[in-house]
Amino acid sequence: MLITLLEKINNLNETIFAPLDGIIEKLPLEEWIADAILDSIHLLPFLFFIFVVIEILEFYFSDKMDSCIKKARKRSVAVGALASIFPQCGFSVIASSLYSRRMITRGCLIAVYLGTSDETIPILLAHPEKAHLIVPIVGLKLLIAIFGGYLIDIIAGHFNNPDIINHEDSVEEVLEEAHEHVHDEGCCNHKPEGMNKIELFLHPIQHTINILSFILIITLVLNYLLEHFPITEFLSNSSHHFAQCIVASVIGLIPNCAISIAITMMLIKGTISFGAAMSGLLSNGGLGLLVLLKNNNIKDTTKVVIILLLISIISGCLIEFLT
């Protein structure tokens, strides 16, 4: 039903933007620049609609989302992975804060990072012709997150770890601090708490503009590369796809929502393979790694990063081999 609605918006979109398309096409711009501008502008209504829906869900169900994290801290890798699928950076930040206090296991933290989708789902929804990729991407991320998380805890013996703290007061304190990290370091610096219903639409406008700016910049860069460099020839060689998985996984570690946007846009434009995109999206834990670097010791954080990187590379290469 959602895809049908997006297709209707797309048809209306084409009609509304037709006059503007004609004006832009008449401007003395390089074709790759005009295409980037047109592609980005056409995403405007899609992104706004999707971010309004996400904002409403976050506003009315934030308590239930926090409850999921509280359950996840009790060594439930599956709950943490499921919670992280929701397209926002808050879960990885909360999980990082809980882990730094040893309130969840390493496996649970890794599962949240692997499952985090950040801006991937909104970007794909904004391209109805690519929306069919959401199910395989989210499904694979979820399976890998659950399997990887439990495997890490089994190997480390964390199911019987006496160091996991169970004080509810401590959890509430950490959740409050984690939300502050999201508000202070997120792309829009907004606070869901205390918002009125008007702000439910004002923040999506701000968020849409921010994300649209990222998309325009990334699309310009991709179009320029496609226009001036033989990227398609490089991609046609299957042996390079495995190298892409490694590079994409390393890039995915950068704690910024622009990275998930870039990887998703490259997948949409065909500049990276599906396996490579999965590698980058698996290692991209949003702002979570940034919080972990601030609050956790370097030695342990390095272990987390290496494990996350290895799982992402191996998973991407395996997907590449099987597809």
Side-chain angles (χ1 to χ4, degrees):
M1 185 175 69
L2 179 59
I3 301 301
T4 303
L5 178 59
L6 290 172
E7 288 175 348
K8 289 181 179 179
I9 294 176
N10 185 44
N11 294 333
L12 180 62
N13 212 24
E14 296 294 331
T15 303
I16 293 174
F17 283 102
L20 182 60
D21 290 351
I23 294 173
I24 293 175
E25 288 171 355
K26 291 178 181 178
L27 294 175
L29 298 172
E30 293 281 347
E31 185 177 352
W32 60 273
I33 297 176
D35 287 344
I37 295 172
L38 290 172
D39 289 346
S40 301
I41 290 176
H42 280 234
L43 296 181
L44 188 60
F46 289 101
L47 291 174
F48 178 69
F49 170 75
I50 294 163
F51 288 139
V52 166
V53 173
I54 292 173
E55 193 74 26
I56 291 172
L57 290 173
E58 185 178 8
F59 180 79
Y60 286 104
F61 298 101
S62 60
D63 291 339
K64 292 184 178 180
M65 293 175 188
D66 283 349
S67 177
C68 287
I69 295 299
K70 290 178 184 178
K71 291 178 182 178
R73 76 183 181 87
K74 297 177 180 178
R75 298 179 290 282
S76 178
V77 170
V79 174
L82 283 167
S84 65
I85 292 298
F86 186 78
Q88 55 126 332
C89 58
F91 286 120
S92 65
V93 172
I94 292 171
S96 297
S97 299
L98 290 172
Y99 178 76
S100 66
R101 302 284 188 90
R102 298 301 180 264
M103 294 180 182
I104 60 173
T105 64
R106 183 180 293 159
C108 186
L109 175 69
I110 294 292
V112 171
Y113 284 170
L114 292 170
T116 297
S117 62
D118 214 355
E119 305 296 346
T120 303
I121 294 176
I123 299 302
L124 289 173
L125 285 174
H127 291 81
E129 75 283 1
K130 297 293 183 179
H132 65 277
L133 292 173
I134 293 174
V135 173
I137 288 175
V138 172
L140 284 169
K141 282 172 70 69
L142 186 59
L143 286 174
I144 294 168
I146 293 173
F147 178 79
Y150 278 124
L151 181 62
I152 291 166
D153 278 351
I154 290 171
I155 293 173
H158 279 169
F159 287 110
N160 298 312
N161 188 351
D163 296 329
I164 300 296
I165 301 173
N166 289 299
H167 300 302
E168 292 297 331
D169 291 341
S170 298
V171 175
E172 293 294 342
E173 179 184 341
V174 173
L175 285 173
E176 185 177 346
E177 290 178 5
H179 283 304
E180 288 301 320
H181 278 296
V182 176
H183 303 147
D184 293 341
E185 299 175 30
C187 63
C188 300
N189 300 312
H190 81 296
K191 296 188 178 184
E193 299 85 355
M195 289 176 60
N196 56 48
K197 293 183 179 180
I198 295 177
E199 290 176 297
L200 289 178
F201 294 92
L202 292 179
H203 175 251
I205 292 174
Q206 182 185 4
H207 195 55
T208 298
I209 293 171
N210 287 346
I211 298 303
L212 199 65
S213 300
F214 281 133
I215 290 174
L216 177 59
I217 294 170
I218 291 166
T219 306
L220 282 169
V221 173
L222 289 176
N223 283 3
Y224 178 82
L225 292 174
L226 289 169
E227 180 74 19
H228 296 89
F229 297 95
I231 295 179
T232 52
E233 294 179 14
F234 174 83
L235 295 174
S236 65
N237 188 335
S238 60
S239 64
H240 292 146
H241 292 172
F242 298 104
Q244 283 183 29
C245 292
I246 297 173
V247 174
S249 294
V250 174
I251 293 174
L253 292 174
I254 300 173
N256 192 297
C257 64
I259 300 304
S260 64
I261 295 172
I263 293 171
T264 306
M265 291 301 297
M266 284 190 285
L267 175 63
I268 290 172
K269 286 189 168 290
T271 52
I272 59 172
S273 65
F274 181 75
M278 284 301 303
S279 287
L281 294 175
L282 283 166
S283 65
N284 185 246
L287 296 173
L289 275 178
L290 184 63
V291 174
L292 191 67
L293 285 167
K294 288 184 177 181
N295 298 340
N296 197 37
N297 67 76
I298 296 297
K299 183 178 179 181
D300 188 63
T301 298
T302 301
K303 290 180 182 179
V304 170
V305 171
I306 291 173
I307 293 171
L308 180 62
L309 194 60
L310 287 175
I311 292 176
S312 301
I313 293 172
I314 293 171
S315 299
C317 288
L318 187 60
I319 292 169
E320 196 64 53
F321 178 76
L322 294 174
T323 55

